[in-house]
Amino acid sequence: MDPIGADDEILLGDLADPEVARAAVKDVSAVVHLAGLVSPSVSFEETLAPNYRAVLSLLEACRLANVRRFIFASSHHIVGLYPPGSLTAAAPPAPDGFYGLSKAFGEAACALYSRRFGLGVLIVRIGNADPTVVDGRRERLWVSARDLVQLFTLGIERSELNCEIVYGASNCPAPFFPNEEARQLGYLPIDHAAAFRAENFLSLSEMSAAQGAYYIGGSFATTPLPEPFLHS
């Protein structure tokens, strides 16, 4: 890894190690946590260190260092088993695999540390953040890099933040996500998903069941669930 700015500092290590986590948050005022193991075929066992222990280790490090803001990159895969058009703001989690399940843990851990210790938390359930939009499912939950940065910035700067859940999505046609909470925080997405269609764009009506057309989580919801305790 190379620094991208003169003031950047790089620390290499495993966040599941509490000492590494404490070193990572030393003398910082806010954390944007983006790391995690992502795959539709990942087992529960494989997610334990990167998606459970690392999150808890980092939250505890923030508590010890009196870090005041924590932005957690969650995922739409926490509600991936809902069909398109059925998601409401009060809908409970419906993870589409063990990755999505780990995000449910991460969100709960954030709420624990927010309510017990006053950590200001913004949970961002990210849609699809690819540079281009490849199909009609992703078009309804896509987010641009600069719109995502806008959400992260709101999470760092809004003084009244407690523990809020928003969706990371730009301006999408027939959007999958209710996102009034993000708008109340001041989120005004700039980019439009339809303007970023890939050359081989596949409409939702052209997509098959195997491609995940009938689930918010797409192919994550149709991939066979692996044996939970499988090691890679």
Side-chain angles (χ1 to χ4, degrees):
M1 296 176 65
D2 295 319
I4 59 173
D7 296 326
D8 288 343
E9 182 179 343
I10 292 172
L11 171 69
L12 297 180
D14 184 353
L15 285 174
D17 180 343
E19 291 188 8
V20 173
R22 285 195 292 269
V25 304
K26 183 181 179 182
D27 299 326
V28 305
S29 58
V31 168
V32 180
H33 181 48
L34 300 171
L37 179 62
V38 184
S39 171
S41 56
V42 70
S43 72
F44 169 75
E45 193 74 30
E46 290 169 319
T47 63
L48 280 177
N51 295 7
Y52 289 82
R53 292 191 177 96
V55 173
L56 197 55
S57 174
L58 193 54
L59 284 167
E60 178 65 5
C62 288
R63 180 187 74 82
L64 293 172
N66 200 33
V67 176
R68 304 315 304 160
R69 288 302 170 94
F70 192 88
I71 290 76
F72 179 60
S74 189
S75 169
H76 70 283
H77 292 294
I78 195 175
V79 290
L81 285 179
Y82 283 101
S86 67
L87 191 65
T88 65
D96 51 27
F98 291 117
Y99 166 67
L101 183 64
S102 72
K103 288 302 182 182
F105 168 82
E107 291 191 8
C110 286
L112 169 67
Y113 274 77
S114 174
R115 296 190 178 278
R116 271 193 175 262
F117 306 115
L119 180 64
V121 173
L122 182 66
I123 294 167
V124 183
R125 292 178 174 176
I126 298 173
N128 176 259
D130 291 339
T132 59
V133 182
V134 301
D135 60 43
R137 181 190 70 88
R138 291 176 176 89
E139 188 176 43
R140 287 159 173 78
L141 47 76
W142 181 80
V143 62
S144 68
R146 65 175 170 178
D147 283 341
L148 203 52
V149 168
Q150 181 190 160
L151 278 171
F152 294 162
T153 303
L154 286 170
I156 293 170
E157 295 180 348
R158 289 301 297 259
S159 60
E160 72 277 18
L161 196 69
N162 294 310
C163 183
E164 315 295 337
I165 299 175
V166 299
Y167 285 93
S170 293
N171 294 298
C172 300
F176 287 162
F177 306 138
N179 217 11
E180 181 59 30
E181 290 81 359
R183 288 187 286 272
Q184 289 176 356
L185 285 175
Y187 178 53
L188 295 172
I190 297 171
D191 292 310
H192 292 259
F196 289 83
R197 286 182 175 183
E199 290 185 6
N200 59 343
F201 177 83
L202 190 68
S203 70
L204 189 62
S205 62
E206 295 173 308
M207 295 176 64
S208 67
Q211 292 170 312
Y214 304 127
Y215 295 100
I216 287 176
S219 61
F220 276 61
T222 59
T223 299
L225 195 67
E227 195 279 313
F229 306 109
L230 182 69
H231 290 272
S232 59

